[in-house]
């Protein structure tokens, strides 16, 4: 394929994308496939000779969509969304066409400086203090890994990057039981060790399921008495299972009293903070050392796109950065090179889709979407609560809540039947020892009618269970 052919097929692809999105409501959200089914359809030896692009494109259109879970489906209520506003898709096409490697300022000046701008835009949109700066990662997992590695190095006076951890004091990281598994992964891969992640008990009867600040203080003191070395605290705003939100102010006060840095994981809920009325969920966040949220989850920036805000980037650059001779920018020793702020050297031009998105939608448009999603989730909660045999287990936090149907086994059978039916897609979690179904509203093109289909489908399928 040459560039003239690319122009033709790009138009074909754009037409296909338009039709795909227009027809999503007619597709099941999730395919009813068994592992290996799709591989049987495409299995073949590696091609020795070139094939016509017409054949390849036709095979894609015929085979692939029906074997995909449709994350842009308006009735995708599972996990958290991975939204892709049309304008974000356009920006990705342009970034892909330039195919830049934005590891250094000199390798992509516009990407570098636009990243600084859109991080500032998002900081201001979320109401964070002006002294925060930051960078764009692929996902919150990488941002949290970077934050935990920085905690490790600060606790070891930056000796770990040179000497390793052998013979060093045993470090401890503290988090609530509601934090995402990416925290566990960061503690494992940073060399701190899974057994040194302390999951702190929650406040009794707290409607937001916060970590208990008193229990955090007690855990830190117990580790100090045992000769262990506390290194940092990871807090959650909008935990994945049920939307739990830690008491940021009280927990950071405890961390500061012990001289510990803090990282706030607001990967999903952070987007809602463009609406001032929701900011009480992370009151005190301005005291954090690091905050992460994913514009690709709820704002419409196409996956992948995660922003980490940092009060002082210096420690993270010291922990993560490496500048060999071939990565120098001659005559500009103090220039910002974002690869030094995170794990990968190679970096995509992710700022472009945020720049397009914010200019095209405006904060007004994005706020309206999020407010609708929260309101519709509460309507769905009330409708489900009114159904015979259904119980709301955790109340809505923003647009996420959970419910059960009769007992654990019946709830599991209901969820399987609902997802096989295909009209809506929901996922499960466990809470207080119970198997529950979680529902979140957040897909970019969802309507109130899509949301209110959920109680109708639940009622219909529950009534048909044996």
């Amino acid at each position: 394929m040459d560039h003239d052919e690319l122009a033709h097929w790009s138009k074909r692809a754009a037409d296909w994308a338009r039709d795909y999105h227009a027809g999503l409501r007619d597709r099941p959200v999730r395919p009813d496939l068994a592992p290996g089914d799709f591989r049987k359809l495409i299995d073949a030896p590696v091609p020795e000779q070139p094939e016509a692009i017409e054949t390849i494109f036709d095979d894609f259109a015929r085979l692939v969509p029906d074997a995909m879970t449709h994350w842009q489906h308006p009735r995708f209520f599972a996990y958290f969304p991975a939204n892709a506003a049309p304008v974000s898709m356009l920006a990705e096409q342009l970034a892909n066409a330039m195919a830049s490697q934005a590891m250094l300022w000199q390798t992509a000046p516009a990407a570098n400086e636009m990243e600084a701008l859109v991080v500032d835009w998002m900081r201001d949109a979320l109401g964070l203090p002006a002294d925060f700066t930051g960078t764009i990662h692929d996902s919150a997992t990488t941002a949290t890994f970077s934050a935990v590695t920085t905690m490790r190095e600060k606790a070891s006076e930056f000796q770990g990057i040179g000497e390793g951890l052998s013979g060093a004091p045993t470090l401890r990281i503290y988090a609530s039981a509601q934090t995402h598994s990416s925290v566990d992964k960061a503690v494992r891969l940073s060399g701190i060790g899974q057994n040194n992640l302390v999951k702190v008990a929650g406040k009794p009867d707290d409607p937001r399921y916060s970590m208990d600040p008193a229990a955090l203080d007690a855990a830190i003191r117990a580790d100090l008495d045992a000769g262990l070395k506390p290194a940092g605290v990871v807090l959650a705003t909008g935990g994945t299972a049920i939307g739990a939100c830690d008491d940021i102010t009280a927990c950071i006060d405890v961390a500061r009293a012990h001289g510990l840095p803090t990282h706030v994981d607001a990967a999903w809920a952070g987007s809602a903070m463009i609406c001032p009325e929701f900011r009480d969920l992370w009151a005190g966040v301005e005291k954090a050392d690091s905050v992460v949220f994913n514009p690709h989850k709820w704002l419409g920036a196409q996956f992948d796109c995660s922003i980490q805000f940092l009060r002082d980037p210096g420690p993270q650059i010291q922990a993560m950065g490496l500048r060999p001779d071939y990565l120098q920018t001659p005559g500009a020793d103090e220039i910002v090179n974002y690869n030094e702020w995170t794990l990968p050297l190679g970096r995509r031009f992710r700022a472009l889709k945020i720049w397009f998105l914010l200019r095209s939608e405006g904060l007004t448009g994005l706020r309206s979407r999020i407010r609708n999603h929260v309101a519709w989730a509460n309507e769905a909660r009330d409708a489900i609560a009114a159904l015979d045999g259904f119980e709301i287990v955790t109340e809505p936090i923003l647009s996420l809540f959970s419910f059960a149907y009769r007992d654990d086994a019946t709830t599991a059978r209901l969820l399987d039947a609902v997802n096989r039916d295909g009209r809506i897609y929901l996922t499960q979690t466990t809470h207080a020892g119970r198997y529950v179904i979680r529902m979140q509203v957040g897909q970019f093109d969802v309507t109130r009618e899509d949301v209110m289909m959920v109680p109708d489908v639940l009622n219909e399928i529950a009534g048909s269970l044996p």
Side-chain angles (χ1 to χ4, degrees):
M1 176 181 288
D2 59 26
H3 286 282
D4 289 335
E5 291 175 298
L6 175 62
H8 168 75
W9 285 100
S10 292
K11 292 182 178 67
R12 281 281 303 273
D15 289 343
W16 179 89
R18 176 201 59 211
D19 295 343
Y20 168 75
H21 282 268
L24 275 174
R25 282 186 175 86
D26 299 325
R27 295 178 180 270
V29 188
R30 193 187 74 172
D32 189 8
L33 295 175
D37 283 352
F38 178 70
R39 174 64 182 264
K40 294 173 185 174
L41 299 177
I42 62 170
D43 212 18
V46 59
E48 290 285 352
Q49 301 299 324
E51 296 181 61
I53 190 63
E54 291 89 346
T55 302
I56 301 168
F57 194 98
D58 288 348
D59 283 349
F60 160 79
R62 179 173 56 88
L63 298 173
V64 173
D66 288 340
M68 292 294 289
T69 296
H70 301 292
W71 283 74
Q72 306 312 311
H73 198 295
R75 294 192 297 274
F76 182 102
F77 302 113
Y79 306 105
F80 286 131
N83 281 336
V87 72
S88 178
M89 298 181 201
L90 175 62
E92 281 286 76
Q93 289 177 24
L94 299 174
N96 290 341
M98 288 184 286
S100 298
Q101 218 285 36
M103 58 184 175
L104 308 172
W105 177 87
Q106 67 174 338
T107 66
N112 179 290
E113 296 182 19
M114 188 179 287
E115 181 162 344
L117 173 68
V118 298
V119 168
D120 286 352
W121 279 0
M122 289 308 322
R123 175 200 65 202
D124 296 344
L126 300 179
L128 293 172
D131 60 345
F132 274 85
T133 184
T135 189
I136 305 175
H137 299 268
D138 52 0
S139 67
T141 300
T142 305
T144 297
F145 174 80
S146 300
V148 168
T149 299
T150 304
M151 291 174 179
R152 182 197 76 191
E153 287 306 304
K154 289 184 74 172
S156 65
E157 298 181 343
F158 294 91
Q159 297 302 302
I161 52 178
E163 302 297 326
L165 302 181
S166 178
T170 299
L171 303 180
R172 305 282 271 180
I173 298 290
Y174 307 88
S176 78
Q178 296 291 338
T179 50
H180 191 266
S181 59
S182 61
V183 180
D184 300 68
K185 195 167 197 175
V187 171
R188 288 181 177 199
L189 299 184
S190 65
I192 294 172
Q194 180 74 58
N195 294 341
N196 293 310
L197 174 59
V198 181
K199 295 291 183 75
V200 180
K203 285 184 184 179
D205 302 317
D206 181 56
R208 294 180 179 172
Y209 309 99
S210 170
M211 175 195 297
D212 186 345
L216 172 63
D217 183 66
I220 294 170
R221 292 182 184 277
D223 283 346
L224 289 169
D225 290 343
L228 307 174
K229 190 171 183 61
V233 179
V234 181
L235 304 171
T237 297
T240 300
I242 55 171
C245 294
D246 288 325
D247 184 339
I248 301 294
T249 297
C251 292
I252 288 183
D253 285 347
V254 171
R256 283 189 167 188
H258 291 283
L260 300 180
T262 52
H263 171 67
V264 176
D265 179 358
W268 162 64
S271 293
M273 304 310 158
I274 64 172
C275 303
E277 67 268 28
F278 298 135
R279 291 178 188 164
D280 66 308
L281 291 174
W282 72 354
V285 71
E286 68 278 357
K287 299 180 180 180
D289 297 289
S290 170
V291 182
V292 64
F293 95 106
N294 291 348
H296 69 236
K297 274 195 166 69
W298 206 356
L299 285 188
Q302 185 165 344
F303 184 86
D304 53 19
C305 185
S306 180
I307 296 179
Q308 182 190 15
F309 299 102
L310 294 160
R311 175 177 302 285
D312 175 11
Q316 186 157 307
I317 294 170
Q318 189 175 352
M320 306 295 293
L322 187 64
R323 193 183 293 190
D325 290 344
Y326 54 83
L327 295 182
Q328 303 285 345
T329 299
D333 290 342
E334 300 308 316
I335 202 163
V336 172
N337 292 318
Y338 285 112
N339 77 83
E340 298 175 340
W341 297 45
T342 184
L343 180 63
L345 171 60
R347 308 185 80 249
R348 298 179 62 245
F349 190 179
R350 295 187 179 93
L352 191 65
K353 55 194 167 191
I354 304 177
W355 191 65
F356 267 66
L357 176 70
L358 291 178
R359 294 183 65 189
S360 175
E361 297 287 335
L363 290 177
T364 300
L366 295 172
R367 288 187 185 116
S368 178
R369 269 188 164 85
I370 287 173
R371 286 167 175 152
N372 282 339
H373 296 168
V374 173
W376 297 338
N378 278 273
E379 283 191 68
R381 175 259 178 236
D382 292 345
I384 293 169
L387 299 177
D388 183 46
F390 284 82
E391 173 193 356
I392 303 301
V393 178
T394 61
E395 295 292 339
I397 295 179
L398 296 172
S399 64
L400 171 63
F401 64 96
S402 70
F403 59 91
Y405 179 60
R406 303 196 187 281
D407 52 45
D408 282 4
T410 311
T411 300
R413 286 195 294 120
L414 172 65
L415 179 63
D416 181 66
V418 164
N419 288 337
R420 286 184 178 279
D421 173 81
R423 283 174 287 174
I424 63 174
Y425 185 25
L426 302 167
T427 46
Q428 76 289 336
T429 189
T430 55
H431 176 70
R434 298 182 65 183
Y435 182 99
V436 299
I437 298 172
R438 59 187 294 283
M439 175 179 174
Q440 66 77 32
V441 179
Q443 205 282 329
F444 202 74
D445 292 326
V446 69
T447 65
R448 180 183 176 277
E449 289 72 25
D450 293 316
V451 176
M452 298 312 293
M453 182 182 285
V454 174
D456 290 342
V457 170
L458 290 172
N459 191 43
E460 174 191 328
I461 294 180
S464 67
L465 288 179

